[in-house]
Amino acid sequence: MSRRADGYDYIIVGAGAAGCVLAARLSEDPQVRVLLLEAGGANRAREIRIPAAFSRLFKSSMDWNYSTEPEPHAHNRQLYWPRGKVLGGSSSINAMIYIRGNRLDYEHWRSLGNEGWGYADVLPYFLKSENQQRGASPYHGIGGPLCVADLRYVNPLTRAFLAGAKELGIPPNPDFNGVEQDGAGLYQVTQRNGQRHSGADAYLKPALGRSNLKVLTGAQATRVLLESNRAVGVEYVSKGATASIVADREVILSGGAINSPQLLLLSGIGPAEELKRAGIRAVTNLPGVGKNLQDHPMVSVGFLCKQPVSMASAESLGNLLRYLFFRNGPLTSNVAEAGIFARTKPGLNVPDLQLVFGPAYYVNHGFDTHKEHCFGFGPTLVGPESRGEIALKSPNPLIPPAIRANYLSTENDLRVIVEGVRLCRRIARTKAFRAYSGDELIPGSSVTSDRDIAEFVRGALQTLYHPAGTCKMGQDEMAVVDAQLRVRGIEALRVVDASIMPRVIAGNTNAPTVMIAEKAADMIRNRREFAGSAFCLATE
Ligand SMILES: Cc1cc2nc3c(=O)[nH]c(=O)nc-3n(C[C@H](O)[C@H](O)[C@H](O)COP(=O)(O)OP(=O)(O)OC[C@H]3O[C@@H](n4cnc5c(N)ncnc54)[C@H](O)[C@@H]3O)c2cc1C
């Protein structure tokens, strides 16, 4: 195949956690031309940099501002789903918690036939990506692009949370990403010098000076261009106009777990019957596209705080100055400062509950406020059995797809969160919390029976922002990509983002997505060397 002067070797759709890694790694080779398309704009907002301000980005121009369809097991509520629409994607609006999940998560991926995705295979990519403040160890890397740091400020309530957990016999865990995942501990965060270190900061920014990398912002891909069964480019919309651009080697979709499957469906790659109903000609019948949607749902459990120590006063002038001059103080907090990974019943080999703690009133994504000092817990289901889907509502690419999370569709999923609510209460009643714990605001002390707590959970459930699995990697008929992340049945097209997880890992999903992209970049570059020599032969 000859090289077109106006084309690129690789077109990456989406400059999120994964897309930034790919753009940086692939453009390390000066011989290849890389185009990174991003629907959002620059990541210069102050609220991106200041860690404690992340929820200010919700429903802003940097958010896709999605909503689910009415959730049948959550009182038919339509739930808000923020996703980053900006350089860095969701890594520019997330809570910065650095968690890899459980080693058995990856053993499970491999057991599904995904060669090369066991824990021993993926660990080197976590290390490669990492610049760990605590130094190198068998579990951590230094010198990688992504800064992983200890929190510069830890609220006294968070210390009480850790002491309270210990009182209950929950073992302290100084490193959730080390030997053991279980236990209670402070989170490490993706920060550098007290500021957010997004995928765009870590990977893209240092690569921007390369002449073989072009980044096009404000450009929303609307379709993958196909010739026979090969991806040859991308159609996109920018400033209201439609344009297309060719990829000589590969198109790589990194639009995230909602947008990547949407783009495949819009391109005629998906369940044939559904495509027909949506008025789209099926190029390849891939029944798994958009299916297998998994997420980590949680509820907020909130208490009044008897002392004025919470994040309610984080934005005082003193704290602002402390942040501006010393990059320290409460504004460097990611709010969700600590957590617990626990198993809610015997026999589980991986934690199914992550209990997030914050010295703040974090209810309804931070939109609800309370005038007094408060603290709160977020018991989160991290081993969901429920499966949902992304489906087209319209062949118009600018209309968001239907998101059906299908939360709480199994009794067990509900049970885990109910157990989590009970655990929050036990911690709030420990000696360690005695000086702080005031009235229980949410759900309130009158809600005590399993039935009432379950009712509360259905009415208050929200996302913890970790959708995954909608273009799953595997070998069964519902698999969308193979273990090299190539879309089945289509040449020169890959998906590289959180959507390829066959099962969502038991923890926060940013670090695993970075790892996926690091690994994919190696796979693509090896293949490129092979393809490169074929190209030379063909053009001689
Ligand atoms: C509010 C919030 C808090 C979170 N907190 C944490 C946390 O503390 N720790 C953690 O580990 N994880 C957290 N996450 C999850 C984590 O950020 C994501 O798992 C991760 O960013 C997923 O990476 P991705 O590359 O799959 O998608 P994204 O990072 O979402 O990137 C997708 C990118 O593609 C772009 N895009 C999409 N469609 C198109 C198109 N058609 N054309 C062009 N561009 C397109 C988007 O604008 C976006 O920039 C959080 C997420 C959110 C939203």
PDB file of all heavy atoms in Angstrom, residues 13-14 16-18 38-39 58 64 82-86 89-90 94-97 219-221 254-256 259 465 497-498 508-510 513, ligand 1:
ATOM      1  N   VAL A  13      -8.757   8.056  17.831  1.00  0.00           N
ATOM      2  CA  VAL A  13      -9.970   8.817  18.126  1.00  0.00           C
ATOM      3  C   VAL A  13     -10.135   8.919  19.643  1.00  0.00           C
ATOM      4  O   VAL A  13     -10.387   7.921  20.307  1.00  0.00           O
ATOM      5  CB  VAL A  13     -11.214   8.142  17.505  1.00  0.00           C
ATOM      6  CG1 VAL A  13     -12.477   8.887  17.922  1.00  0.00           C
ATOM      7  CG2 VAL A  13     -11.096   8.089  15.995  1.00  0.00           C
ATOM      8  N   GLY A  14      -9.963  10.117  20.176  1.00  0.00           N
ATOM      9  CA  GLY A  14     -10.159  10.335  21.603  1.00  0.00           C
ATOM     10  C   GLY A  14      -8.848  10.536  22.335  1.00  0.00           C
ATOM     11  O   GLY A  14      -8.015   9.640  22.386  1.00  0.00           O
ATOM     12  N   GLY A  16      -8.225  10.742  25.559  1.00  0.00           N
ATOM     13  CA  GLY A  16      -8.470  10.493  26.974  1.00  0.00           C
ATOM     14  C   GLY A  16      -7.292   9.771  27.609  1.00  0.00           C
ATOM     15  O   GLY A  16      -6.150   9.838  27.120  1.00  0.00           O
ATOM     16  N   ALA A  17      -7.600   9.057  28.693  1.00  0.00           N
ATOM     17  CA  ALA A  17      -6.550   8.332  29.420  1.00  0.00           C
ATOM     18  C   ALA A  17      -5.765   7.439  28.460  1.00  0.00           C
ATOM     19  O   ALA A  17      -4.528   7.420  28.471  1.00  0.00           O
ATOM     20  CB  ALA A  17      -7.183   7.512  30.542  1.00  0.00           C
ATOM     21  N   ALA A  18      -6.458   6.695  27.621  1.00  0.00           N
ATOM     22  CA  ALA A  18      -5.774   5.775  26.708  1.00  0.00           C
ATOM     23  C   ALA A  18      -5.202   6.496  25.495  1.00  0.00           C
ATOM     24  O   ALA A  18      -4.056   6.257  25.087  1.00  0.00           O
ATOM     25  CB  ALA A  18      -6.742   4.681  26.250  1.00  0.00           C
ATOM     26  N   GLU A  38      -9.744  14.818  18.952  1.00  0.00           N
ATOM     27  CA  GLU A  38     -10.427  14.966  20.241  1.00  0.00           C
ATOM     28  C   GLU A  38     -11.646  15.875  20.064  1.00  0.00           C
ATOM     29  O   GLU A  38     -11.523  16.988  19.557  1.00  0.00           O
ATOM     30  CB  GLU A  38      -9.471  15.536  21.291  1.00  0.00           C
ATOM     31  CG  GLU A  38     -10.108  15.975  22.598  1.00  0.00           C
ATOM     32  CD  GLU A  38     -10.964  14.913  23.289  1.00  0.00           C
ATOM     33  OE1 GLU A  38     -10.525  13.752  23.386  1.00  0.00           O
ATOM     34  OE2 GLU A  38     -12.086  15.244  23.719  1.00  0.00           O
ATOM     35  N   ALA A  39     -12.778  15.392  20.555  1.00  0.00           N
ATOM     36  CA  ALA A  39     -14.009  16.169  20.417  1.00  0.00           C
ATOM     37  C   ALA A  39     -13.973  17.425  21.295  1.00  0.00           C
ATOM     38  O   ALA A  39     -14.525  18.461  20.931  1.00  0.00           O
ATOM     39  CB  ALA A  39     -15.203  15.303  20.806  1.00  0.00           C
ATOM     40  N   PHE A  58     -18.193  19.182  36.438  1.00  0.00           N
ATOM     41  CA  PHE A  58     -19.389  18.429  36.048  1.00  0.00           C
ATOM     42  C   PHE A  58     -20.393  19.367  35.382  1.00  0.00           C
ATOM     43  O   PHE A  58     -20.636  20.480  35.845  1.00  0.00           O
ATOM     44  CB  PHE A  58     -20.030  17.762  37.260  1.00  0.00           C
ATOM     45  CG  PHE A  58     -19.169  16.685  37.898  1.00  0.00           C
ATOM     46  CD1 PHE A  58     -19.557  16.088  39.077  1.00  0.00           C
ATOM     47  CD2 PHE A  58     -17.994  16.260  37.311  1.00  0.00           C
ATOM     48  CE1 PHE A  58     -18.788  15.088  39.672  1.00  0.00           C
ATOM     49  CE2 PHE A  58     -17.212  15.263  37.889  1.00  0.00           C
ATOM     50  CZ  PHE A  58     -17.616  14.681  39.079  1.00  0.00           C
ATOM     51  N   TRP A  64     -19.229  15.428  28.769  1.00  0.00           N
ATOM     52  CA  TRP A  64     -20.237  14.958  27.808  1.00  0.00           C
ATOM     53  C   TRP A  64     -21.628  15.008  28.430  1.00  0.00           C
ATOM     54  O   TRP A  64     -22.632  14.971  27.713  1.00  0.00           O
ATOM     55  CB  TRP A  64     -19.927  13.535  27.347  1.00  0.00           C
ATOM     56  CG  TRP A  64     -18.750  13.436  26.415  1.00  0.00           C
ATOM     57  CD1 TRP A  64     -17.435  13.332  26.769  1.00  0.00           C
ATOM     58  CD2 TRP A  64     -18.773  13.446  24.979  1.00  0.00           C
ATOM     59  NE1 TRP A  64     -16.650  13.264  25.641  1.00  0.00           N
ATOM     60  CE2 TRP A  64     -17.444  13.329  24.538  1.00  0.00           C
ATOM     61  CE3 TRP A  64     -19.774  13.539  24.023  1.00  0.00           C
ATOM     62  CZ2 TRP A  64     -17.091  13.312  23.180  1.00  0.00           C
ATOM     63  CZ3 TRP A  64     -19.437  13.508  22.684  1.00  0.00           C
ATOM     64  CH2 TRP A  64     -18.108  13.406  22.267  1.00  0.00           C
ATOM     65  N   PRO A  82     -21.058  11.776  34.250  1.00  0.00           N
ATOM     66  CA  PRO A  82     -20.057  12.675  33.668  1.00  0.00           C
ATOM     67  C   PRO A  82     -18.989  11.885  32.924  1.00  0.00           C
ATOM     68  O   PRO A  82     -18.622  10.789  33.344  1.00  0.00           O
ATOM     69  CB  PRO A  82     -19.457  13.361  34.897  1.00  0.00           C
ATOM     70  CG  PRO A  82     -19.724  12.454  36.042  1.00  0.00           C
ATOM     71  CD  PRO A  82     -20.931  11.633  35.703  1.00  0.00           C
ATOM     72  N   ARG A  83     -18.510  12.416  31.821  1.00  0.00           N
ATOM     73  CA  ARG A  83     -17.326  11.873  31.109  1.00  0.00           C
ATOM     74  C   ARG A  83     -16.557  13.057  30.563  1.00  0.00           C
ATOM     75  O   ARG A  83     -17.152  13.999  30.011  1.00  0.00           O
ATOM     76  CB  ARG A  83     -17.696  10.967  29.918  1.00  0.00           C
ATOM     77  CG  ARG A  83     -18.599   9.796  30.161  1.00  0.00           C
ATOM     78  CD  ARG A  83     -18.218   8.889  31.285  1.00  0.00           C
ATOM     79  NE  ARG A  83     -16.936   8.222  31.148  1.00  0.00           N
ATOM     80  CZ  ARG A  83     -16.309   7.638  32.178  1.00  0.00           C
ATOM     81  NH1 ARG A  83     -16.813   7.676  33.388  1.00  0.00           N
ATOM     82  NH2 ARG A  83     -15.155   7.044  31.996  1.00  0.00           N
ATOM     83  N   GLY A  84     -15.254  13.016  30.666  1.00  0.00           N
ATOM     84  CA  GLY A  84     -14.437  14.143  30.220  1.00  0.00           C
ATOM     85  C   GLY A  84     -14.475  14.344  28.711  1.00  0.00           C
ATOM     86  O   GLY A  84     -14.317  13.396  27.952  1.00  0.00           O
ATOM     87  N   LYS A  85     -14.720  15.601  28.316  1.00  0.00           N
ATOM     88  CA  LYS A  85     -14.694  15.963  26.893  1.00  0.00           C
ATOM     89  C   LYS A  85     -13.677  17.100  26.756  1.00  0.00           C
ATOM     90  O   LYS A  85     -14.029  18.276  26.661  1.00  0.00           O
ATOM     91  CB  LYS A  85     -16.089  16.422  26.458  1.00  0.00           C
ATOM     92  CG  LYS A  85     -16.227  16.689  24.970  1.00  0.00           C
ATOM     93  CD  LYS A  85     -17.647  17.154  24.660  1.00  0.00           C
ATOM     94  CE  LYS A  85     -17.897  17.237  23.179  1.00  0.00           C
ATOM     95  NZ  LYS A  85     -19.245  17.735  22.890  1.00  0.00           N
ATOM     96  N   VAL A  86     -12.423  16.746  26.776  1.00  0.00           N
ATOM     97  CA  VAL A  86     -11.339  17.709  26.890  1.00  0.00           C
ATOM     98  C   VAL A  86     -10.050  16.901  26.720  1.00  0.00           C
ATOM     99  O   VAL A  86     -10.069  15.678  26.884  1.00  0.00           O
ATOM    100  CB  VAL A  86     -11.405  18.375  28.304  1.00  0.00           C
ATOM    101  CG1 VAL A  86     -11.349  17.363  29.436  1.00  0.00           C
ATOM    102  CG2 VAL A  86     -10.371  19.445  28.504  1.00  0.00           C
ATOM    103  N   GLY A  89      -9.411  13.645  28.521  1.00  0.00           N
ATOM    104  CA  GLY A  89     -10.673  12.911  28.694  1.00  0.00           C
ATOM    105  C   GLY A  89     -11.078  12.865  30.154  1.00  0.00           C
ATOM    106  O   GLY A  89     -10.952  13.853  30.892  1.00  0.00           O
ATOM    107  N   SER A  90     -11.544  11.730  30.596  1.00  0.00           N
ATOM    108  CA  SER A  90     -12.004  11.622  31.985  1.00  0.00           C
ATOM    109  C   SER A  90     -10.843  11.722  32.966  1.00  0.00           C
ATOM    110  O   SER A  90     -11.055  12.030  34.145  1.00  0.00           O
ATOM    111  CB  SER A  90     -12.784  10.319  32.186  1.00  0.00           C
ATOM    112  OG  SER A  90     -13.919  10.318  31.353  1.00  0.00           O
ATOM    113  N   ASN A  94     -11.328  13.469  36.690  1.00  0.00           N
ATOM    114  CA  ASN A  94     -11.572  12.397  37.660  1.00  0.00           C
ATOM    115  C   ASN A  94     -11.036  12.752  39.055  1.00  0.00           C
ATOM    116  O   ASN A  94     -10.478  13.829  39.269  1.00  0.00           O
ATOM    117  CB  ASN A  94     -11.049  11.050  37.142  1.00  0.00           C
ATOM    118  CG  ASN A  94      -9.533  10.955  37.122  1.00  0.00           C
ATOM    119  OD1 ASN A  94      -8.840  11.759  37.713  1.00  0.00           O
ATOM    120  ND2 ASN A  94      -9.026   9.952  36.425  1.00  0.00           N
ATOM    121  N   ALA A  95     -11.190  11.814  39.970  1.00  0.00           N
ATOM    122  CA  ALA A  95     -10.810  12.076  41.366  1.00  0.00           C
ATOM    123  C   ALA A  95      -9.365  11.657  41.660  1.00  0.00           C
ATOM    124  O   ALA A  95      -8.946  11.678  42.828  1.00  0.00           O
ATOM    125  CB  ALA A  95     -11.783  11.380  42.316  1.00  0.00           C
ATOM    126  N   MET A  96      -8.629  11.269  40.614  1.00  0.00           N
ATOM    127  CA  MET A  96      -7.167  11.073  40.694  1.00  0.00           C
ATOM    128  C   MET A  96      -6.707   9.874  41.525  1.00  0.00           C
ATOM    129  O   MET A  96      -5.503   9.728  41.779  1.00  0.00           O
ATOM    130  CB  MET A  96      -6.477  12.351  41.231  1.00  0.00           C
ATOM    131  CG  MET A  96      -6.536  13.500  40.282  1.00  0.00           C
ATOM    132  SD  MET A  96      -6.490  15.112  41.128  1.00  0.00           S
ATOM    133  CE  MET A  96      -8.187  15.283  41.622  1.00  0.00           C
ATOM    134  N   ILE A  97      -7.622   9.050  41.994  1.00  0.00           N
ATOM    135  CA  ILE A  97      -7.213   7.890  42.808  1.00  0.00           C
ATOM    136  C   ILE A  97      -6.437   6.918  41.921  1.00  0.00           C
ATOM    137  O   ILE A  97      -6.892   6.585  40.817  1.00  0.00           O
ATOM    138  CB  ILE A  97      -8.456   7.193  43.407  1.00  0.00           C
ATOM    139  CG1 ILE A  97      -9.201   8.148  44.325  1.00  0.00           C
ATOM    140  CG2 ILE A  97      -8.057   5.915  44.132  1.00  0.00           C
ATOM    141  CD1 ILE A  97     -10.572   7.636  44.766  1.00  0.00           C
ATOM    142  N   ALA A 219     -12.853  18.192  17.283  1.00  0.00           N
ATOM    143  CA  ALA A 219     -13.141  17.337  16.119  1.00  0.00           C
ATOM    144  C   ALA A 219     -13.760  16.030  16.607  1.00  0.00           C
ATOM    145  O   ALA A 219     -13.088  15.218  17.244  1.00  0.00           O
ATOM    146  CB  ALA A 219     -11.850  17.048  15.360  1.00  0.00           C
ATOM    147  N   GLN A 220     -15.021  15.860  16.334  1.00  0.00           N
ATOM    148  CA  GLN A 220     -15.729  14.655  16.806  1.00  0.00           C
ATOM    149  C   GLN A 220     -15.851  13.643  15.682  1.00  0.00           C
ATOM    150  O   GLN A 220     -16.493  13.910  14.662  1.00  0.00           O
ATOM    151  CB  GLN A 220     -17.114  15.034  17.345  1.00  0.00           C
ATOM    152  CG  GLN A 220     -17.870  13.814  17.858  1.00  0.00           C
ATOM    153  CD  GLN A 220     -19.120  14.157  18.634  1.00  0.00           C
ATOM    154  OE1 GLN A 220     -19.301  15.304  19.071  1.00  0.00           O
ATOM    155  NE2 GLN A 220     -19.999  13.185  18.818  1.00  0.00           N
ATOM    156  N   ALA A 221     -15.229  12.500  15.858  1.00  0.00           N
ATOM    157  CA  ALA A 221     -15.336  11.437  14.848  1.00  0.00           C
ATOM    158  C   ALA A 221     -16.778  10.960  14.789  1.00  0.00           C
ATOM    159  O   ALA A 221     -17.425  10.764  15.821  1.00  0.00           O
ATOM    160  CB  ALA A 221     -14.409  10.286  15.200  1.00  0.00           C
ATOM    161  N   SER A 254     -10.275   5.210  20.862  1.00  0.00           N
ATOM    162  CA  SER A 254     -10.014   5.399  22.293  1.00  0.00           C
ATOM    163  C   SER A 254     -10.997   6.412  22.857  1.00  0.00           C
ATOM    164  O   SER A 254     -10.637   7.305  23.615  1.00  0.00           O
ATOM    165  CB  SER A 254      -8.573   5.881  22.517  1.00  0.00           C
ATOM    166  OG  SER A 254      -7.649   4.937  22.058  1.00  0.00           O
ATOM    167  N   GLY A 255     -12.252   6.261  22.460  1.00  0.00           N
ATOM    168  CA  GLY A 255     -13.283   7.230  22.864  1.00  0.00           C
ATOM    169  C   GLY A 255     -13.913   6.919  24.203  1.00  0.00           C
ATOM    170  O   GLY A 255     -14.788   7.646  24.658  1.00  0.00           O
ATOM    171  N   GLY A 256     -13.489   5.823  24.844  1.00  0.00           N
ATOM    172  CA  GLY A 256     -14.063   5.459  26.136  1.00  0.00           C
ATOM    173  C   GLY A 256     -15.225   4.496  25.980  1.00  0.00           C
ATOM    174  O   GLY A 256     -15.673   4.186  24.872  1.00  0.00           O
ATOM    175  N   ASN A 259     -18.416   5.987  24.056  1.00  0.00           N
ATOM    176  CA  ASN A 259     -18.288   6.492  22.688  1.00  0.00           C
ATOM    177  C   ASN A 259     -17.651   5.508  21.722  1.00  0.00           C
ATOM    178  O   ASN A 259     -17.964   5.535  20.526  1.00  0.00           O
ATOM    179  CB  ASN A 259     -17.503   7.803  22.703  1.00  0.00           C
ATOM    180  CG  ASN A 259     -18.242   8.880  23.472  1.00  0.00           C
ATOM    181  OD1 ASN A 259     -18.815   8.612  24.516  1.00  0.00           O
ATOM    182  ND2 ASN A 259     -18.259  10.090  22.967  1.00  0.00           N
ATOM    183  N   TYR A 465     -18.364   6.261  38.366  1.00  0.00           N
ATOM    184  CA  TYR A 465     -17.695   6.772  37.159  1.00  0.00           C
ATOM    185  C   TYR A 465     -16.748   5.780  36.477  1.00  0.00           C
ATOM    186  O   TYR A 465     -15.773   6.209  35.861  1.00  0.00           O
ATOM    187  CB  TYR A 465     -16.904   8.059  37.483  1.00  0.00           C
ATOM    188  CG  TYR A 465     -17.585   9.017  38.430  1.00  0.00           C
ATOM    189  CD1 TYR A 465     -17.059   9.294  39.687  1.00  0.00           C
ATOM    190  CD2 TYR A 465     -18.765   9.669  38.055  1.00  0.00           C
ATOM    191  CE1 TYR A 465     -17.678  10.189  40.556  1.00  0.00           C
ATOM    192  CE2 TYR A 465     -19.389  10.562  38.916  1.00  0.00           C
ATOM    193  CZ  TYR A 465     -18.837  10.823  40.167  1.00  0.00           C
ATOM    194  OH  TYR A 465     -19.444  11.711  41.014  1.00  0.00           O
ATOM    195  N   ASP A 497      -9.147   1.202  25.056  1.00  0.00           N
ATOM    196  CA  ASP A 497      -9.619   2.057  26.151  1.00  0.00           C
ATOM    197  C   ASP A 497     -10.310   1.171  27.184  1.00  0.00           C
ATOM    198  O   ASP A 497     -10.216  -0.068  27.114  1.00  0.00           O
ATOM    199  CB  ASP A 497     -10.540   3.193  25.641  1.00  0.00           C
ATOM    200  CG  ASP A 497     -11.758   2.689  24.876  1.00  0.00           C
ATOM    201  OD1 ASP A 497     -12.195   1.563  25.132  1.00  0.00           O
ATOM    202  OD2 ASP A 497     -12.268   3.438  24.020  1.00  0.00           O
ATOM    203  N   ALA A 498     -11.042   1.784  28.110  1.00  0.00           N
ATOM    204  CA  ALA A 498     -11.663   1.002  29.195  1.00  0.00           C
ATOM    205  C   ALA A 498     -12.722   0.036  28.683  1.00  0.00           C
ATOM    206  O   ALA A 498     -13.121  -0.881  29.402  1.00  0.00           O
ATOM    207  CB  ALA A 498     -12.278   1.957  30.213  1.00  0.00           C
ATOM    208  N   ASN A 508     -10.639   1.411  40.901  1.00  0.00           N
ATOM    209  CA  ASN A 508     -10.773   2.551  39.991  1.00  0.00           C
ATOM    210  C   ASN A 508     -10.083   2.233  38.668  1.00  0.00           C
ATOM    211  O   ASN A 508      -9.087   1.505  38.637  1.00  0.00           O
ATOM    212  CB  ASN A 508     -10.173   3.785  40.662  1.00  0.00           C
ATOM    213  CG  ASN A 508     -10.695   3.941  42.082  1.00  0.00           C
ATOM    214  OD1 ASN A 508     -10.435   3.083  42.928  1.00  0.00           O
ATOM    215  ND2 ASN A 508     -11.423   4.974  42.356  1.00  0.00           N
ATOM    216  N   THR A 509     -10.580   2.813  37.596  1.00  0.00           N
ATOM    217  CA  THR A 509     -10.235   2.280  36.267  1.00  0.00           C
ATOM    218  C   THR A 509      -9.210   3.082  35.475  1.00  0.00           C
ATOM    219  O   THR A 509      -8.860   2.697  34.354  1.00  0.00           O
ATOM    220  CB  THR A 509     -11.525   2.147  35.434  1.00  0.00           C
ATOM    221  OG1 THR A 509     -12.316   3.325  35.621  1.00  0.00           O
ATOM    222  CG2 THR A 509     -12.318   0.929  35.857  1.00  0.00           C
ATOM    223  N   ASN A 510      -8.715   4.192  36.014  1.00  0.00           N
ATOM    224  CA  ASN A 510      -7.800   5.009  35.212  1.00  0.00           C
ATOM    225  C   ASN A 510      -6.449   4.316  34.990  1.00  0.00           C
ATOM    226  O   ASN A 510      -5.990   4.190  33.841  1.00  0.00           O
ATOM    227  CB  ASN A 510      -7.585   6.373  35.880  1.00  0.00           C
ATOM    228  CG  ASN A 510      -6.824   7.318  34.992  1.00  0.00           C
ATOM    229  OD1 ASN A 510      -7.259   7.628  33.897  1.00  0.00           O
ATOM    230  ND2 ASN A 510      -5.656   7.753  35.427  1.00  0.00           N
ATOM    231  N   THR A 513      -6.535   1.555  32.564  1.00  0.00           N
ATOM    232  CA  THR A 513      -6.714   2.008  31.179  1.00  0.00           C
ATOM    233  C   THR A 513      -5.378   2.494  30.610  1.00  0.00           C
ATOM    234  O   THR A 513      -5.055   2.239  29.440  1.00  0.00           O
ATOM    235  CB  THR A 513      -7.785   3.122  31.114  1.00  0.00           C
ATOM    236  OG1 THR A 513      -8.972   2.650  31.747  1.00  0.00           O
ATOM    237  CG2 THR A 513      -8.096   3.502  29.692  1.00  0.00           C
TER     238      THR A 513
HETATM  239  C1  LIG B   1     -15.880  12.132  37.545  1.00  0.00           C
HETATM  240  C2  LIG B   1     -14.962  10.958  37.365  1.00  0.00           C
HETATM  241  C3  LIG B   1     -14.183  10.535  38.439  1.00  0.00           C
HETATM  242  C4  LIG B   1     -13.326   9.452  38.279  1.00  0.00           C
HETATM  243  N1  LIG B   1     -12.454   9.153  39.285  1.00  0.00           N
HETATM  244  C5  LIG B   1     -11.486   8.233  39.073  1.00  0.00           C
HETATM  245  C6  LIG B   1     -10.448   8.047  40.016  1.00  0.00           C
HETATM  246  O1  LIG B   1     -10.355   8.733  41.033  1.00  0.00           O
HETATM  247  N2  LIG B   1      -9.517   7.091  39.755  1.00  0.00           N
HETATM  248  C7  LIG B   1      -9.584   6.309  38.640  1.00  0.00           C
HETATM  249  O2  LIG B   1      -8.746   5.417  38.484  1.00  0.00           O
HETATM  250  N3  LIG B   1     -10.542   6.485  37.721  1.00  0.00           N
HETATM  251  C8  LIG B   1     -11.468   7.450  37.887  1.00  0.00           C
HETATM  252  N4  LIG B   1     -12.393   7.688  36.921  1.00  0.00           N
HETATM  253  C9  LIG B   1     -12.410   6.820  35.731  1.00  0.00           C
HETATM  254  C10 LIG B   1     -11.264   7.084  34.758  1.00  0.00           C
HETATM  255  O3  LIG B   1     -11.022   8.450  34.599  1.00  0.00           O
HETATM  256  C11 LIG B   1     -11.614   6.411  33.433  1.00  0.00           C
HETATM  257  O4  LIG B   1     -11.739   5.019  33.645  1.00  0.00           O
HETATM  258  C12 LIG B   1     -10.579   6.626  32.341  1.00  0.00           C
HETATM  259  O5  LIG B   1     -10.382   7.980  32.096  1.00  0.00           O
HETATM  260  C13 LIG B   1     -11.066   5.929  31.072  1.00  0.00           C
HETATM  261  O6  LIG B   1     -10.193   6.226  30.032  1.00  0.00           O
HETATM  262  P1  LIG B   1     -10.643   6.102  28.520  1.00  0.00           P
HETATM  263  O7  LIG B   1      -9.448   6.408  27.707  1.00  0.00           O
HETATM  264  O8  LIG B   1     -11.319   4.796  28.334  1.00  0.00           O
HETATM  265  O9  LIG B   1     -11.782   7.209  28.320  1.00  0.00           O
HETATM  266  P2  LIG B   1     -11.721   8.764  28.585  1.00  0.00           P
HETATM  267  O10 LIG B   1     -10.623   9.121  29.500  1.00  0.00           O
HETATM  268  O11 LIG B   1     -13.103   9.168  28.975  1.00  0.00           O
HETATM  269  O12 LIG B   1     -11.349   9.392  27.172  1.00  0.00           O
HETATM  270  C14 LIG B   1     -12.170   9.359  26.037  1.00  0.00           C
HETATM  271  C15 LIG B   1     -11.819  10.568  25.187  1.00  0.00           C
HETATM  272  O13 LIG B   1     -12.342  10.398  23.883  1.00  0.00           O
HETATM  273  C16 LIG B   1     -12.974  11.602  23.463  1.00  0.00           C
HETATM  274  N5  LIG B   1     -13.984  11.212  22.491  1.00  0.00           N
HETATM  275  C17 LIG B   1     -15.046  10.411  22.701  1.00  0.00           C
HETATM  276  N6  LIG B   1     -15.724  10.237  21.554  1.00  0.00           N
HETATM  277  C18 LIG B   1     -15.077  10.924  20.600  1.00  0.00           C
HETATM  278  C19 LIG B   1     -15.302  11.113  19.207  1.00  0.00           C
HETATM  279  N7  LIG B   1     -16.323  10.536  18.581  1.00  0.00           N
HETATM  280  N8  LIG B   1     -14.439  11.888  18.533  1.00  0.00           N
HETATM  281  C20 LIG B   1     -13.371  12.486  19.143  1.00  0.00           C
HETATM  282  N9  LIG B   1     -13.129  12.341  20.469  1.00  0.00           N
HETATM  283  C21 LIG B   1     -13.962  11.559  21.175  1.00  0.00           C
HETATM  284  C22 LIG B   1     -13.538  12.163  24.754  1.00  0.00           C
HETATM  285  O14 LIG B   1     -13.848  13.529  24.636  1.00  0.00           O
HETATM  286  C23 LIG B   1     -12.414  11.865  25.718  1.00  0.00           C
HETATM  287  O15 LIG B   1     -11.439  12.871  25.700  1.00  0.00           O
HETATM  288  C24 LIG B   1     -13.289   8.749  37.040  1.00  0.00           C
HETATM  289  C25 LIG B   1     -14.058   9.185  35.974  1.00  0.00           C
HETATM  290  C26 LIG B   1     -14.889  10.281  36.114  1.00  0.00           C
HETATM  291  C27 LIG B   1     -15.716  10.732  34.946  1.00  0.00           C
END
